[in-house]
Amino acid sequence: MNHPVLLIHFLLICLLNLAGIFQTNTVITGNEAVLNFPESLVFKLEITSDVEIDQVTLFYSSDGRSCQSAVARQDLEFDPAGELQMEWEWDFSRDSTIPPGVVVEWQWEITDSRGNLTLTEPKSLVIQDQRYDWEQYAENGITVQWLVGDDGFGEHVNHIAQEKLAYISDTMGVEIDGDIWITIYPSSDEVREAVQFSADWVGGVAFPDHNAVIVAALPGQEDWLNRVIAHELAHLVLEAYTFNCAGNWLPNWFTEGFAENVEGRLDGNDTDLILAAYEDGNLPGLRSLVGSFSYNPADADLHYIVSKAVVEYLLLEHGTQKMADLLDQLQAGQMVDAALEHFNAFDTDGLEAAWRKRTGFDHVVDNSPPDIAQPADTP
């Protein structure tokens, strides 16, 4: 008899029995994400196990650009048990609006009291405003969805978007990577409902981190469609192209001026508004347009047009290649003053001074009231 062989067989049998003792049967009976657009996404999990579950962790992510880890971790609090029904709510107000078209992926990690770990298969969904039934049209990496209008409307918007992207590439020297999602509501009211913390006058919003756009438009509004699609796509391209993790940021006058120029050049109404503000002593300086523009529609119009005029000056004076070089500096992590100095040896103040001198807005306007002759005393 070969005793060593028998001993080995006996030990293997013992190990298999021990493995059976420590193995557990954990079954995932429910795993879903319930969307409550535009407020939140609720992740739900149901578990059944023959031993207590004492740790559950949710891992979730979106396809947005980020300088941090793409995967967020959330440990759930609960009393250990063999059967669990759990949920965790991702409140979108913490991260601002998550627009339609964003892909969210999630996965659960489950640990029982014996240390056994169960990892669920990854699941995903596309964020959508489930309150409405949408029409969709997709071509060349651009998906358009809308509520009012026939099939030709979505195709028409898609072609406008393709033309505007080509125009941005030709005139600004930059392009965007990745697919684009355009959602069209029939009015500004629906846009304000979908986009948290938006101004009353908002007609379109870009989400550069997600290559998504939300606008208000209807079939037949040809001029508005061309303008709003151009404007919001310009934001996508600019901020996607200059994205970096150096901590720099773009001033509002530059981003809005860039987008306004993609809409079109200054016209007579624009220059009249700038002139009137100048003569009234209300022409804003660029340093005052670094942050968000006024919520007052009249003031906001002026802020947009001044920004447009300054960026147009940059383009006309220095051309497409220089603009592309400036954007490369911003993408490399330079703040706008340093990028401008590299661009043409002036900072924001120097740019404003050059623009004012070129347009004749650099001299002081006398806004004091005229002298009025005082009447003589009546005898």
Side-chain angles (χ1 to χ4, degrees):
M1 179 178 291
N2 193 334
H3 294 287
V5 173
L6 288 176
L7 179 61
I8 291 172
H9 285 174
F10 175 75
L11 291 174
L12 286 173
I13 292 171
C14 291
L15 287 173
L16 289 172
N17 288 333
L18 285 173
I21 293 173
F22 288 107
Q23 278 183 346
T24 58
N25 184 27
T26 299
V27 179
I28 309 301
T29 57
N31 180 8
E32 63 176 342
V34 179
L35 181 61
N36 302 307
F37 188 89
E39 288 85 11
S40 66
L41 181 64
V42 180
F43 299 95
K44 296 186 176 184
L45 179 68
E46 296 181 9
I47 317 167
T48 299
S49 177
D50 52 9
V51 297
E52 287 188 341
I53 302 295
D54 57 15
Q55 184 174 344
V56 174
T57 301
L58 170 67
F59 297 94
Y60 66 99
S61 63
S62 74
D63 56 357
R65 297 181 184 87
S66 175
C67 291
Q68 300 174 347
S69 170
V71 180
R73 174 190 178 119
Q74 182 65 43
D75 293 318
L76 277 68
E77 297 182 0
F78 60 95
D79 295 326
E83 291 188 13
L84 293 171
Q85 294 182 346
M86 319 194 68
E87 66 178 46
W88 183 79
E89 182 180 42
W90 180 8
D91 183 359
F92 290 163
S93 65
R94 297 180 307 166
D95 302 293
S96 190
T97 301
I98 308 297
V102 173
V103 178
V104 172
E105 186 174 277
W106 75 95
Q107 192 172 24
W108 298 92
E109 184 182 82
I110 303 153
T111 306
D112 65 29
S113 58
R114 293 176 178 172
N116 295 302
L117 184 146
T118 301
L119 192 64
T120 65
E121 291 294 322
K123 299 189 72 172
S124 65
L125 63 75
V126 177
I127 298 296
Q128 181 59 281
D129 188 343
Q130 77 286 346
R131 300 172 300 173
Y132 304 101
D133 294 325
W134 296 91
E135 301 291 336
Q136 285 190 3
Y137 179 86
E139 183 181 354
N140 292 339
I142 301 173
T143 297
V144 179
Q145 66 172 18
W146 69 99
L147 295 172
V148 178
D150 59 17
D151 292 346
F153 178 63
E155 183 176 1
H156 179 58
V157 172
N158 188 289
H159 292 167
I160 290 175
Q162 293 182 44
E163 291 173 359
K164 299 307 179 184
L165 289 174
Y167 177 80
I168 294 169
S169 177
D170 292 341
T171 58
M172 305 294 189
V174 292
E175 297 179 348
I176 191 171
D177 292 327
D179 295 341
I180 294 172
W181 193 289
I182 301 174
T183 298
I184 304 178
Y185 289 92
S187 74
S188 294
D189 290 339
E190 283 92 350
V191 171
R192 286 195 299 272
E193 289 177 2
V195 180
Q196 302 186 60
F197 316 117
S198 57
D200 290 341
W201 43 262
V202 69
V205 183
F207 300 87
D209 290 345
H210 301 291
N211 281 9
V213 168
I214 294 177
V215 301
L218 287 169
Q221 297 177 330
E222 197 64 25
D223 180 63
W224 169 247
L225 273 171
N226 277 277
R227 287 169 49 210
V228 72
I229 296 297
H231 189 101
E232 302 308 334
L233 286 181
H235 279 303
L236 289 192
V237 174
L238 173 63
E239 298 192 39
Y241 186 85
T242 59
F243 176 81
N244 64 82
C245 297
N248 69 328
W249 46 270
L250 301 179
N252 215 35
W253 67 261
F254 185 81
T255 60
E256 295 299 346
F258 184 99
E260 288 283 311
N261 270 272
V262 175
E263 280 193 46
R265 299 301 188 195
L266 289 171
D267 58 26
N269 292 331
D270 295 335
T271 53
D272 288 346
L273 186 61
I274 294 174
L275 180 60
Y278 170 68
E279 291 177 343
D280 291 341
N282 295 324
L283 189 61
L286 286 186
R287 295 288 184 188
S288 71
L289 302 180
V290 167
S292 299
F293 292 168
S294 172
Y295 270 57
N296 179 282
D299 292 340
D301 283 346
L302 178 61
H303 297 169
Y304 275 101
I305 291 170
V306 170
S307 302
K308 178 179 182 177
V310 173
V311 174
E312 181 177 286
Y313 165 78
L314 276 174
L315 281 166
L316 294 178
E317 287 291 311
H318 303 287
T320 299
Q321 186 56 53
K322 277 280 191 177
M323 176 59 76
D325 292 343
L326 173 62
L327 297 180
D328 286 341
Q329 290 297 312
L330 295 169
Q331 195 281 329
Q334 296 280 8
M335 295 296 287
V336 69
D337 277 338
L340 283 170
E341 289 172 354
H342 179 88
F343 171 76
N344 202 33
F346 50 55
D347 61 5
T348 300
D349 298 322
L351 170 60
E352 181 178 352
W355 169 70
R356 283 177 174 260
K357 183 175 181 179
R358 176 64 181 270
T359 53
F361 297 141
D362 58 334
H363 63 277
V364 176
V365 176
D366 184 4
N367 289 312
S368 59
D371 292 333
I372 301 176
Q374 298 299 315
D377 293 335
T378 301

